[in-house]
Amino acid sequence: MRGTATGVANRITTTSGSAERIPLGDQSVDATICLQAWHWVEPEQATNECDRVLKQNGMMGMAWHTWDRTSSWVQALAAIVEPDGTPADQTLSVPGEFVERGAFERKEFPFNHELTVEQLVQLASSWSFVAQRSDRNVVLAKIRDLGEKAESLHTGLVRFPHITATFRLKQPVRGVVG
């Protein structure tokens, strides 16, 4: 049946590759999208690959999740895990490699990640800026204490507000694919 999950799944093809070596032909895709991962790629090679595989006037999209720091408990969490202050916000603009490619449209989508206190502690233990600290166990204990204070009496869950910032290439610069 057209439009069902099965129908869509039958039209999807997967292949292994990387941002630096996309196993697709030149000008073969309508869009490239990178979600929460650009910091893992070699930017110059990945940018060249996006340019190579995108069709003329193809769409480029990127997105990052970040904490919603307007929440007082998120500010308290940040004070625990970011002793040197808040890191640069990568959600404010596209990576430098894309600045001259054209106008990007930016849109934010707020969402709440709801976790048990134990899930919050497990999540925090996976953050490299926590996992690599010499006082890791002390930091995780502080996060557990904070989570217990922030958890809902009704659900037992901690509401961890986030914002997903998305970018879409709105108007490519003439002569540049993407």
Side-chain angles (χ1 to χ4, degrees):
M1 291 176 50
R2 189 173 183 92
T4 66
T6 303
V8 171
N10 288 335
R11 297 187 323 226
I12 296 173
T13 303
T14 62
T15 186
S16 295
S18 69
E20 297 85 356
R21 297 182 82 178
I22 301 172
L24 299 172
D26 295 354
Q27 297 187 357
S28 61
V29 298
D30 295 313
T32 61
I33 300 172
C34 182
L35 306 175
Q36 195 74 17
W38 193 255
H39 61 283
W40 292 110
V41 306
E42 195 294 305
E44 187 175 332
Q45 285 180 325
T47 302
N48 290 338
E49 277 295 272
C50 287
D51 286 346
R52 182 184 67 76
V53 300
L54 276 173
K55 292 178 182 176
Q56 188 68 28
N57 296 318
M59 193 282 294
M60 181 177 292
M62 301 185 122
W64 287 268
H65 306 294
T66 189
W67 303 350
D68 181 348
R69 292 172 186 266
T70 62
S71 164
S72 60
W73 97 261
V74 173
Q75 292 169 7
L77 175 65
I80 294 169
V81 300
E82 298 169 343
D84 299 328
T86 304
D89 187 350
Q90 64 188 8
T91 70
L92 296 178
S93 65
V94 295
E97 300 80 34
F98 296 101
V99 170
E100 295 183 16
R101 293 199 143 21
F104 276 83
E105 175 182 38
R106 182 180 187 277
K107 190 164 185 172
E108 290 185 353
F109 298 91
F111 71 97
N112 289 308
H113 191 63
E114 294 187 335
L115 312 145
T116 65
V117 172
E118 187 57 36
Q119 289 170 327
L120 173 65
V121 172
Q122 288 175 348
L123 176 64
S125 72
S126 74
W127 300 332
S128 60
F129 52 90
V130 170
Q132 297 175 356
R133 290 179 60 156
S134 61
D135 63 345
R136 176 182 181 272
N137 291 336
V138 172
V139 169
L140 292 174
K142 289 179 180 178
I143 292 169
R144 180 180 303 282
D145 183 54
L146 179 64
E148 288 170 353
K149 292 174 184 168
E151 74 182 321
S152 166
L153 296 174
H154 302 292
T155 65
L157 298 175
V158 178
R159 181 174 281 175
F160 192 173
H162 282 69
I163 297 170
T164 299
T166 62
F167 297 87
R168 178 179 65 161
L169 184 59
K170 188 175 179 181
Q171 187 173 21
V173 172
R174 183 176 252 183
V176 175
V177 177

